[in-house]
Short mmCIF file of all heavy atoms in Angstrom, two decimals:
data_model
loop_
_atom_site.label_atom_id
_atom_site.label_comp_id
_atom_site.label_asym_id
_atom_site.label_seq_id
_atom_site.Cartn_x
_atom_site.Cartn_y
_atom_site.Cartn_z
N GLY A 273 47.63 -32.27 -88.36
CA GLY A 273 48.62 -32.88 -89.07
C GLY A 273 49.09 -34.24 -88.50
O GLY A 273 50.01 -34.88 -88.85
N LYS A 274 48.18 -34.78 -87.54
CA LYS A 274 48.44 -35.99 -86.93
C LYS A 274 48.08 -37.32 -87.72
O LYS A 274 48.65 -38.35 -87.62
CB LYS A 274 47.84 -36.12 -85.48
CG LYS A 274 48.46 -35.11 -84.43
CD LYS A 274 47.89 -35.36 -83.10
CE LYS A 274 48.62 -34.57 -82.02
NZ LYS A 274 48.42 -33.14 -82.14
N VAL A 275 47.05 -37.01 -88.49
CA VAL A 275 46.52 -38.17 -89.41
C VAL A 275 46.01 -37.51 -90.68
O VAL A 275 45.79 -36.25 -90.90
CB VAL A 275 45.41 -39.00 -88.77
CG1 VAL A 275 45.80 -39.81 -87.63
CG2 VAL A 275 44.29 -38.09 -88.35
N GLN A 276 45.77 -38.42 -91.76
CA GLN A 276 45.18 -37.98 -92.91
C GLN A 276 44.08 -38.94 -93.33
O GLN A 276 44.16 -40.14 -92.93
CB GLN A 276 46.12 -37.89 -94.13
CG GLN A 276 47.29 -36.87 -94.00
CD GLN A 276 46.67 -35.40 -93.88
OE1 GLN A 276 45.79 -35.12 -94.56
NE2 GLN A 276 47.22 -34.59 -93.03
N LEU A 277 43.01 -38.52 -93.94
CA LEU A 277 41.79 -39.39 -94.25
C LEU A 277 42.27 -40.58 -94.98
O LEU A 277 41.64 -41.64 -94.72
CB LEU A 277 40.79 -38.49 -95.04
CG LEU A 277 39.84 -37.77 -94.23
CD1 LEU A 277 38.90 -36.91 -95.09
CD2 LEU A 277 38.90 -38.56 -93.33
N ASP A 278 43.20 -40.53 -95.89
CA ASP A 278 43.55 -41.66 -96.81
C ASP A 278 44.71 -42.44 -96.29
O ASP A 278 45.26 -43.26 -97.08
CB ASP A 278 43.61 -41.15 -98.23
CG ASP A 278 42.28 -40.76 -98.81
OD1 ASP A 278 41.28 -41.36 -98.48
OD2 ASP A 278 42.22 -39.48 -99.43
N ASP A 279 45.11 -42.18 -95.04
CA ASP A 279 46.22 -43.01 -94.53
C ASP A 279 45.77 -44.44 -94.25
O ASP A 279 44.58 -44.59 -93.83
CB ASP A 279 46.60 -42.42 -93.10
CG ASP A 279 47.43 -41.28 -93.16
OD1 ASP A 279 47.90 -40.83 -94.35
OD2 ASP A 279 47.68 -40.55 -92.21
N LEU A 280 46.61 -45.43 -94.57
CA LEU A 280 46.25 -46.88 -94.19
C LEU A 280 46.33 -46.93 -92.72
O LEU A 280 47.31 -46.48 -92.02
CB LEU A 280 47.21 -47.71 -94.83
CG LEU A 280 47.13 -47.73 -96.44
CD1 LEU A 280 48.40 -48.55 -96.94
CD2 LEU A 280 45.82 -48.50 -96.84
N ILE A 281 45.36 -47.66 -92.14
CA ILE A 281 45.24 -47.86 -90.72
C ILE A 281 46.48 -48.68 -90.27
O ILE A 281 46.85 -48.66 -89.02
CB ILE A 281 43.92 -48.44 -90.27
CG1 ILE A 281 43.82 -49.87 -90.70
CG2 ILE A 281 42.82 -47.51 -90.57
CD1 ILE A 281 42.64 -50.57 -90.10
N ALA A 282 47.00 -49.57 -91.12
CA ALA A 282 48.07 -50.55 -90.74
C ALA A 282 49.28 -49.61 -90.14
O ALA A 282 50.08 -50.14 -89.27
CB ALA A 282 48.56 -51.38 -91.98
N GLY A 283 49.43 -48.39 -90.57
CA GLY A 283 50.60 -47.57 -90.12
C GLY A 283 50.49 -47.16 -88.74
O GLY A 283 51.41 -46.70 -88.19
N TYR A 284 49.19 -47.31 -88.19
CA TYR A 284 48.93 -46.85 -86.83
C TYR A 284 48.78 -48.00 -85.74
O TYR A 284 48.70 -47.73 -84.65
CB TYR A 284 47.79 -45.87 -86.73
CG TYR A 284 47.95 -44.67 -87.60
CD1 TYR A 284 47.45 -44.61 -88.93
CD2 TYR A 284 48.55 -43.50 -87.08
CE1 TYR A 284 47.69 -43.46 -89.72
CE2 TYR A 284 48.75 -42.38 -87.75
CZ TYR A 284 48.34 -42.38 -89.11
OH TYR A 284 48.40 -41.27 -89.84
N LEU A 285 48.95 -49.23 -86.28
CA LEU A 285 48.71 -50.36 -85.38
C LEU A 285 50.09 -51.02 -85.18
O LEU A 285 50.96 -50.97 -85.98
CB LEU A 285 47.70 -51.25 -85.99
CG LEU A 285 46.26 -50.67 -86.19
CD1 LEU A 285 45.38 -51.74 -86.87
CD2 LEU A 285 45.69 -50.25 -84.87
N PRO A 286 50.21 -51.80 -84.09
CA PRO A 286 51.44 -52.65 -83.90
C PRO A 286 51.71 -53.58 -85.06
O PRO A 286 50.68 -54.03 -85.62
CB PRO A 286 51.06 -53.39 -82.61
CG PRO A 286 50.11 -52.55 -81.86
CD PRO A 286 49.25 -51.96 -82.98
N ASP A 287 52.92 -53.80 -85.35
CA ASP A 287 53.29 -54.69 -86.49
C ASP A 287 52.80 -55.97 -86.41
O ASP A 287 52.57 -56.73 -87.48
CB ASP A 287 54.83 -54.65 -86.70
CG ASP A 287 55.45 -53.30 -86.97
OD1 ASP A 287 54.69 -52.47 -87.55
OD2 ASP A 287 56.71 -53.10 -86.69
N ASP A 288 52.52 -56.63 -85.24
CA ASP A 288 52.14 -57.89 -85.06
C ASP A 288 50.62 -58.13 -85.14
O ASP A 288 50.06 -59.23 -85.05
CB ASP A 288 52.71 -58.56 -83.81
CG ASP A 288 52.16 -57.87 -82.55
OD1 ASP A 288 51.57 -56.77 -82.70
OD2 ASP A 288 52.42 -58.41 -81.44
N VAL A 289 49.86 -57.01 -85.30
CA VAL A 289 48.45 -57.14 -85.36
C VAL A 289 48.03 -57.57 -86.77
O VAL A 289 48.44 -56.96 -87.82
CB VAL A 289 47.70 -55.84 -85.02
CG1 VAL A 289 46.20 -55.83 -85.40
CG2 VAL A 289 47.94 -55.41 -83.69
N GLN A 290 47.25 -58.67 -86.91
CA GLN A 290 46.76 -59.15 -88.17
C GLN A 290 45.49 -58.40 -88.55
O GLN A 290 44.63 -58.26 -87.83
CB GLN A 290 46.49 -60.67 -88.10
CG GLN A 290 47.73 -61.51 -87.82
CD GLN A 290 47.35 -62.93 -87.76
OE1 GLN A 290 46.32 -63.43 -88.25
NE2 GLN A 290 48.26 -63.79 -87.28
N LEU A 291 45.57 -57.86 -89.82
CA LEU A 291 44.35 -57.06 -90.31
C LEU A 291 43.38 -58.01 -90.90
O LEU A 291 43.76 -59.10 -91.47
CB LEU A 291 44.94 -56.04 -91.21
CG LEU A 291 45.71 -54.89 -90.54
CD1 LEU A 291 46.15 -53.81 -91.62
CD2 LEU A 291 44.90 -54.23 -89.42
N PRO A 292 42.12 -57.47 -91.18
CA PRO A 292 41.15 -58.27 -91.90
C PRO A 292 41.53 -58.56 -93.23
O PRO A 292 42.39 -57.88 -93.86
CB PRO A 292 39.94 -57.41 -91.86
CG PRO A 292 40.07 -56.48 -90.59
CD PRO A 292 41.63 -56.29 -90.58
N THR A 293 41.01 -59.64 -93.83
CA THR A 293 41.36 -60.02 -95.09
C THR A 293 40.04 -59.87 -96.05
O THR A 293 38.94 -59.87 -95.69
CB THR A 293 41.73 -61.47 -95.28
OG1 THR A 293 40.74 -62.32 -94.72
CG2 THR A 293 42.98 -61.66 -94.34
N TYR A 294 40.35 -59.71 -97.35
CA TYR A 294 39.42 -59.77 -98.38
C TYR A 294 39.80 -60.63 -99.54
O TYR A 294 40.85 -60.50 -100.07
CB TYR A 294 39.03 -58.40 -98.91
CG TYR A 294 37.95 -58.27 -100.02
CD1 TYR A 294 36.69 -58.53 -99.74
CD2 TYR A 294 38.36 -58.08 -101.36
CE1 TYR A 294 35.71 -58.61 -100.81
CE2 TYR A 294 37.45 -58.07 -102.39
CZ TYR A 294 36.12 -58.39 -102.05
OH TYR A 294 35.20 -58.29 -103.02
N GLN A 295 38.99 -61.68 -99.78
CA GLN A 295 39.38 -62.72 -100.78
C GLN A 295 40.70 -63.25 -100.58
O GLN A 295 41.54 -63.48 -101.44
CB GLN A 295 39.25 -62.14 -102.18
CG GLN A 295 37.84 -61.73 -102.57
CD GLN A 295 37.63 -61.24 -103.92
OE1 GLN A 295 38.68 -60.87 -104.66
NE2 GLN A 295 36.43 -61.13 -104.54
N GLY A 296 41.00 -63.50 -99.27
CA GLY A 296 42.26 -64.19 -98.84
C GLY A 296 43.55 -63.22 -98.77
O GLY A 296 44.51 -63.72 -98.32
N GLU A 297 43.41 -62.04 -99.11
CA GLU A 297 44.50 -61.01 -98.87
C GLU A 297 44.21 -59.95 -97.90
O GLU A 297 43.14 -59.66 -97.67
CB GLU A 297 44.60 -60.33 -100.32
CG GLU A 297 44.93 -61.19 -101.48
CD GLU A 297 46.35 -61.92 -101.38
OE1 GLU A 297 47.24 -61.33 -100.71
OE2 GLU A 297 46.54 -63.11 -101.91
N ARG A 298 45.33 -59.54 -97.22
CA ARG A 298 45.16 -58.55 -96.20
C ARG A 298 44.63 -57.32 -96.86
O ARG A 298 45.18 -56.81 -97.89
CB ARG A 298 46.51 -58.24 -95.55
CG ARG A 298 46.36 -57.31 -94.42
CD ARG A 298 47.70 -57.19 -93.54
NE ARG A 298 48.54 -56.15 -94.16
CZ ARG A 298 49.47 -55.56 -93.55
NH1 ARG A 298 49.77 -55.91 -92.35
NH2 ARG A 298 50.19 -54.64 -94.20
N ALA A 299 43.55 -56.67 -96.36
CA ALA A 299 42.89 -55.55 -97.00
C ALA A 299 43.53 -54.28 -96.72
O ALA A 299 44.19 -54.07 -95.57
CB ALA A 299 41.45 -55.44 -96.48
N ALA A 300 43.52 -53.35 -97.68
CA ALA A 300 44.01 -52.08 -97.51
C ALA A 300 42.93 -51.16 -97.00
O ALA A 300 42.22 -50.49 -97.79
CB ALA A 300 44.63 -51.53 -98.79
N ILE A 301 42.92 -51.00 -95.72
CA ILE A 301 41.69 -50.14 -95.07
C ILE A 301 42.28 -48.82 -94.60
O ILE A 301 43.42 -48.71 -94.06
CB ILE A 301 41.17 -50.81 -93.79
CG1 ILE A 301 40.66 -52.17 -94.28
CG2 ILE A 301 40.04 -49.98 -93.16
CD1 ILE A 301 40.09 -53.03 -92.93
N THR A 302 41.67 -47.69 -95.11
CA THR A 302 42.01 -46.33 -94.68
C THR A 302 41.19 -45.74 -93.65
O THR A 302 40.14 -46.33 -93.26
CB THR A 302 42.02 -45.41 -95.85
OG1 THR A 302 40.65 -45.32 -96.28
CG2 THR A 302 42.78 -46.04 -97.10
N ILE A 303 41.66 -44.71 -93.01
CA ILE A 303 40.95 -43.97 -92.03
C ILE A 303 39.56 -43.51 -92.62
O ILE A 303 38.48 -43.60 -91.98
CB ILE A 303 41.78 -42.80 -91.52
CG1 ILE A 303 42.76 -43.36 -90.72
CG2 ILE A 303 40.87 -41.80 -90.66
CD1 ILE A 303 43.88 -42.17 -90.07
N ARG A 304 39.51 -43.03 -93.87
CA ARG A 304 38.30 -42.63 -94.58
C ARG A 304 37.35 -43.77 -94.68
O ARG A 304 36.16 -43.54 -94.43
CB ARG A 304 38.67 -42.14 -95.98
CG ARG A 304 37.46 -41.45 -96.69
CD ARG A 304 37.68 -41.28 -98.17
NE ARG A 304 38.81 -40.33 -98.36
CZ ARG A 304 38.60 -38.97 -98.41
NH1 ARG A 304 37.44 -38.42 -98.29
NH2 ARG A 304 39.69 -38.30 -98.60
N HIS A 305 37.82 -45.10 -94.88
CA HIS A 305 36.97 -46.12 -94.97
C HIS A 305 36.19 -46.40 -93.55
O HIS A 305 35.02 -46.61 -93.53
CB HIS A 305 37.70 -47.43 -95.38
CG HIS A 305 38.24 -47.48 -96.68
ND1 HIS A 305 39.39 -48.01 -97.00
CD2 HIS A 305 37.78 -46.90 -97.85
CE1 HIS A 305 39.61 -47.92 -98.32
NE2 HIS A 305 38.67 -47.23 -98.80
N LEU A 306 36.94 -46.31 -92.57
CA LEU A 306 36.33 -46.41 -91.24
C LEU A 306 35.37 -45.31 -90.85
O LEU A 306 34.27 -45.65 -90.37
CB LEU A 306 37.47 -46.43 -90.11
CG LEU A 306 38.48 -47.58 -90.24
CD1 LEU A 306 39.43 -47.39 -89.04
CD2 LEU A 306 37.76 -48.92 -90.12
N ALA A 307 35.59 -44.13 -91.33
CA ALA A 307 34.79 -42.91 -90.95
C ALA A 307 33.59 -42.80 -91.75
O ALA A 307 32.63 -42.14 -91.45
CB ALA A 307 35.55 -41.58 -91.07
N THR A 308 33.58 -43.56 -92.85
CA THR A 308 32.38 -43.65 -93.84
C THR A 308 31.65 -44.96 -93.95
O THR A 308 30.81 -45.15 -94.80
CB THR A 308 32.87 -43.11 -95.20
OG1 THR A 308 33.88 -44.01 -95.78
CG2 THR A 308 33.30 -41.65 -95.26
N HIS A 309 32.01 -45.87 -93.04
CA HIS A 309 31.40 -47.18 -93.05
C HIS A 309 31.61 -47.94 -94.34
O HIS A 309 30.69 -48.61 -94.86
CB HIS A 309 29.86 -47.10 -92.66
CG HIS A 309 29.51 -46.43 -91.37
ND1 HIS A 309 29.75 -47.11 -90.23
CD2 HIS A 309 29.12 -45.23 -91.14
CE1 HIS A 309 29.38 -46.35 -89.21
NE2 HIS A 309 28.94 -45.18 -89.72
N THR A 310 32.77 -47.73 -94.93
CA THR A 310 32.99 -48.42 -96.23
C THR A 310 34.23 -49.35 -96.21
O THR A 310 34.71 -49.76 -97.20
CB THR A 310 33.28 -47.27 -97.36
OG1 THR A 310 34.39 -46.48 -96.98
CG2 THR A 310 32.05 -46.44 -97.62
N ALA A 311 34.57 -49.78 -94.92
CA ALA A 311 35.70 -50.65 -94.85
C ALA A 311 35.41 -52.11 -95.17
O ALA A 311 36.22 -52.96 -95.35
CB ALA A 311 36.33 -50.62 -93.41
N GLY A 312 34.11 -52.49 -95.12
CA GLY A 312 33.63 -53.84 -95.40
C GLY A 312 33.54 -54.67 -94.08
O GLY A 312 33.36 -55.79 -94.12
#
């Protein structure tokens, strides 16, 4: 119960960490994306 596959990774990182962008917008990357090589 510590994580879920479809949790956004932003919720586990410090607030001041800038996340990658896609087409100029901050991307919504999930734990599942990282685990399946689908984060881009």
Side-chain angles (χ1 to χ4, degrees):
K274 292 185 171 68
V275 295
Q276 296 297 322
L277 273 174
D278 294 315
D279 287 349
L280 292 171
I281 65 168
Y284 296 94
L285 299 175
D287 292 340
D288 60 349
V289 172
Q290 297 181 10
L291 290 179
T293 59
Y294 178 70
Q295 295 184 347
E297 301 292 331
R298 191 173 84 159
I301 300 173
T302 67
I303 289 174
R304 187 190 300 270
H305 292 149
L306 298 180
T308 57
H309 299 287
T310 57

